[in-house]
Amino acid sequence: MPSLDELLSAVESYRNDMLDALTEMLRIPAIGPESGGEGEFERARYLRELAEKCGFEDIEMFDALDE
């Protein structure tokens, strides 16, 4: 089992990738419908695609329709 220092070092090695992903996600407009926006569907789709690229499997999305 890796030590805490090894785990922190591994996480740190992905710092730029994580910042790039966060920046890209924040560029996606995600204003709630109560404020006249389109909701967060595009942002959720981006996160699903990112999780798939990271190797996650069996990702489920639960649509919540807005009135």
Side-chain angles (χ1 to χ4, degrees):
M1 184 153 112
S3 70
L4 178 58
D5 287 338
E6 290 169 326
L7 289 173
L8 292 174
S9 178
V11 169
E12 183 63 30
S13 73
Y14 289 101
R15 180 184 188 87
N16 289 335
D17 294 331
M18 290 185 290
L19 289 172
D20 290 344
L22 177 61
T23 300
E24 189 66 29
M25 183 190 74
L26 292 175
R27 286 188 181 129
I28 301 169
I31 300 170
E34 66 278 356
S35 300
E38 295 293 320
E40 298 208 8
F41 179 74
E42 293 300 322
R43 191 173 281 181
R45 186 166 46 188
Y46 172 80
L47 290 173
R48 182 188 65 213
E49 291 171 2
L50 182 61
E52 288 170 348
K53 287 179 189 175
C54 291
F56 287 89
E57 299 175 358
D58 300 322
I59 299 167
E60 293 184 51
M61 285 184 63
F62 297 91
D63 295 332
L65 300 177
D66 294 319
E67 296 180 10

